[in-house]
Amino acid sequence: MRGGGHGASRRWLAVWSAPWLLACPSAAMLPTTPSMDPMADAQPEGCVLERWEDGDTAEVDCGSDVRERVRLQAIEAPALGDDLASRTRAQWQAQLWQLPYKTVLRCGAAALARVREICPPGSRVELYGDDSDRDDHRLAFVRCGGQTVNQRLLDEGHAGSEAAGASGPSGPEPERPRLCR
């Protein structure tokens, strides 16, 4: 790297930004940027994982003895095809990702098996987020055993990012999970 690594770039920034801050005293009062981590500033809700419906949808009990469906926010796991809605979604994913339908179903089964290993039913979980999707499922980042399940599935290739895909008529289309080929 030119200039001696990260330390040199920080020194360069300090040298060149100091005169600007002196010339513009109100810059020191600019608000700080909130964390890019959606869980950094949020208060989690503690729940118990009852079961995984598929690779990105769970049922949880948050103390009311009423099961709530939670969809893992910002990721898309392949569908299982175990009911009409899931078969329709798997067909859409197969077309979007240009994969055979049976490949999507196989990837959906693998994603479900992996999420059950990461966070088995009966585990204590923390939910971050309370928006809802079009099916009225709660959207949340889920922490289990000290790790964020959403990010783990994405990092391991069992899910794709919802935000990374191309834009379609109803918003961003999810990218294909790396392991699904």
Side-chain angles (χ1 to χ4, degrees), residues 44-159:
E45 181 176 3
C47 304
V48 174
L49 176 71
E50 296 291 329
R51 73 178 194 96
W52 287 101
E53 187 174 300
D54 59 27
D56 59 17
T57 308
E59 283 188 3
V60 298
D61 180 349
C62 297
S64 62
D65 289 327
V66 175
R67 287 185 175 186
E68 181 180 9
R69 274 198 177 136
V70 176
R71 178 120 155 57
L72 298 182
Q73 190 167 347
I75 68 166
E76 175 82 11
L80 290 172
D82 57 352
D83 61 24
L84 179 59
S86 183
R87 285 190 294 276
T88 301
R89 187 147 192 94
Q91 289 168 344
W92 173 75
Q93 290 171 333
Q95 182 178 17
L96 176 67
W97 297 333
Q98 299 178 354
L99 293 170
Y101 176 74
K102 288 188 178 200
T103 299
V104 171
L105 299 181
R106 178 182 47 77
C107 293
L112 176 59
R114 183 63 185 128
V115 78
R116 285 177 175 160
E117 291 171 355
I118 294 169
C119 188
S123 297
R124 302 261 331 133
V125 296
E126 293 178 335
L127 306 181
Y128 294 82
D130 56 7
D131 289 338
S132 297
D133 68 6
R134 67 182 176 281
D135 297 320
D136 203 33
H137 297 159
R138 179 176 179 176
L139 292 171
F141 290 89
V142 176
R143 287 193 54 83
C144 180
Q147 57 192 338
T148 306
V149 177
N150 314 48
Q151 190 64 50
R152 182 88 183 261
L153 289 172
L154 189 63
D155 290 347
E156 291 183 6
H158 288 287

